[in-house]
Amino acid sequence: MKDNPVVGDFQETVSEVLIRHRSILDCLSKYQESTARVNRSVIKTVTDCGCISIIANKKQYPPMDSLKDCAKYMDSHIKGKMCEHCREVIAEEIGKHLFYLTALCNTLDYKLEDLFELEHNRINTLGHFMLS
Ligand SMILES: [Zn+2]
């Protein structure tokens, strides 16, 4: 993978500013907390603001020839369009989540760019057989 200066710089900056949560225990708990905050911000978009709704039911799809055809029958279950405020709040929470993910990578001595490359290669290799 080509060097990505944004990802590399971000990881370096996180390392410089992260003073309080250097312990793996702090990293893990802050990382988990940030995941919950991302989820909560999405939920608040539905329950507090109401700019989007979640309407879900059992997936129904006809018999298909390929997994590729399956994609057109998948639904996000999201109805409506996020307002600018909710969009900003969720982006901020995802940003914090990326911060603590990066902090976790720093603590465990992973280079974020390497992980992007590994996962990118894995996705490309598995293609439509990656059923997650
Ligand atoms: Zn909204």
Side-chain angles (χ1 to χ4, degrees):
M1 186 176 183
K2 292 180 287 182
D3 275 350
N4 185 326
V6 174
V7 173
D9 289 352
F10 182 74
Q11 186 159 13
E12 184 68 33
T13 303
V14 168
S15 177
E16 288 168 8
V17 300
L18 198 72
I19 297 165
R20 286 182 44 211
H21 302 290
R22 292 231 178 241
S23 157
I24 187 68
L25 297 174
D26 285 338
C27 264
L28 288 170
S29 64
K30 293 299 283 183
Y31 174 69
Q32 185 165 11
E33 182 185 24
S34 70
T35 303
R37 290 184 63 95
V38 169
N39 292 348
R40 183 166 171 76
S41 68
V42 173
I43 291 166
K44 289 291 183 187
T45 298
V46 175
T47 59
D48 274 6
C49 178
C51 58
I52 61 170
S53 301
I54 297 172
I55 300 171
N57 47 33
K58 185 179 177 185
K59 293 174 184 144
Q60 306 273 342
Y61 16 47
M64 282 165 268
D65 293 333
S66 73
L67 282 172
K68 199 174 182 181
D69 292 338
C70 190
K72 63 185 169 194
Y73 294 99
M74 293 297 160
D75 185 358
S76 69
H77 300 137
I78 297 172
K79 306 298 175 213
K81 189 174 189 302
M82 259 195 297
C83 70
E84 203 53 42
H85 172 73
C86 290
R87 193 161 188 79
E88 284 175 23
V89 170
I90 292 172
E92 189 176 317
E93 294 300 344
I94 290 173
K96 288 176 187 169
H97 181 68
L98 291 175
F99 179 91
Y100 287 111
L101 171 66
T102 305
L104 183 61
C105 290
N106 286 345
T107 304
L108 296 172
D109 198 24
Y110 283 109
K111 197 173 169 189
L112 206 49
E113 289 175 34
D114 294 344
L115 299 182
F116 273 111
E117 183 178 359
L118 279 171
E119 188 62 13
H120 189 219
N121 291 341
R122 195 176 75 83
I123 292 167
N124 280 334
T125 303
L126 293 175
H128 291 290
F129 294 101
M130 196 177 122
L131 298 172
S132 60

